[in-house]
Amino acid sequence: MTALLLLPLLLPLALPALARRALDRLAPVVALWAVTGCAVVLAGCSLAALGSFVIIGLLKIPLFAAVGDLIHPLRTASDLVILPAAATSVGALAVCGWTLVRSVLHQTRAFRAARTQAGHGPAAGDLCVVDSPRPDAYALPGRPHRIVVTTAMLRSLDGPEREALFAHERAHNDGGHHYFLAAAELATHCHPALRPVRETIRLAAERAADEAAAARVGDRRLIARAIARAALAGQAVRSERPDFAPAATTGPVPHRVQALLAAPYAPRAGRSIAGLLLACTAVSCVASAAGLADFHHRVEIAQGDERP
């Protein structure tokens, strides 16, 4: 049981390297779905494992064993292993909860401020222009979705580049990329090994929007030039937008420009990396489920409901 519950805590360590390879070998939108789904599942399994260790540790204490109607000792690994694991799990869950609450509060304030700012500027359809000396542009989720662009950013681009930038941001809203970024942020607070994956998911969202904008505009070089000039204009500016609001100026822009100037994506040896992501997710799910089932069986034995 202990080994099974440890596996979901160790598997997230492999995801950062797998996520980077997935972005190189899979179509951006496929990589976005695959990596985000894997990160969310691994985060959930790790939380389940931590919670199980906490409950096991509590049932080792006579007071909680009595509350759980245990008439026999709960058969587990040595207390020298279980009790420290339970104490560590309590600390890890407390840190996860605290950082998650702080992040939610911060992102909520930033989102409300961005929606308020967008509501005060002139709008043309889904486009909101904000009078600001700081060059910035981003896709703002909500009802309705908005594309927020500052006057400084508009002055930094010519007409075709502006349309290319708007196409990129509309691709974010059409693809619901804010959901992926929010899921990545949530997974980050569940396991520290998933922090690098958040940036990979952000890059995958930008690459997916780049490709969608290029297909809509029909000019990959124009999209590359627009995001390069927008990034140069806004590189010294710290945006106050929420982290789940995607923007064309985020991520490693030179890498994105290089990908746009190269030939459009063609399927390569992506099946192996997709299989590894699926295997990693499946093993974590099976291990956590088997560990929880074994733990439940041992509790029933300790309660006298079943024979060992």
Side-chain angles (χ1 to χ4, degrees), residues 158-231:
D158 60 26
E161 289 169 349
R162 293 175 187 174
E163 293 302 322
L165 181 66
F166 299 157
H168 175 96
E169 303 303 350
R170 287 192 177 96
H172 279 310
N173 282 333
D174 293 342
H177 293 166
H178 51 282
Y179 292 118
F180 296 92
L181 299 183
E185 182 70 20
L186 177 63
T188 295
H189 295 287
C190 296
H191 199 292
L194 297 177
R195 290 175 184 171
V197 180
R198 174 176 53 187
E199 299 308 316
T200 304
I201 292 174
R202 185 175 297 277
L203 176 56
E206 295 303 326
R207 286 282 296 112
D210 289 341
E211 294 295 332
R216 177 178 297 181
V217 173
D219 189 341
R220 299 177 67 84
R221 288 185 175 274
L222 175 59
I223 299 296
R225 187 172 74 248
I227 65 173
R229 292 192 62 182

Side-chain angles (χ1 to χ4, degrees), residues 52-67:
S52 298
F53 277 122
V54 171
I55 296 175
I56 292 171
L58 290 175
L59 291 179
K60 287 290 185 177
I61 301 174
L63 176 62
F64 290 98
V67 172

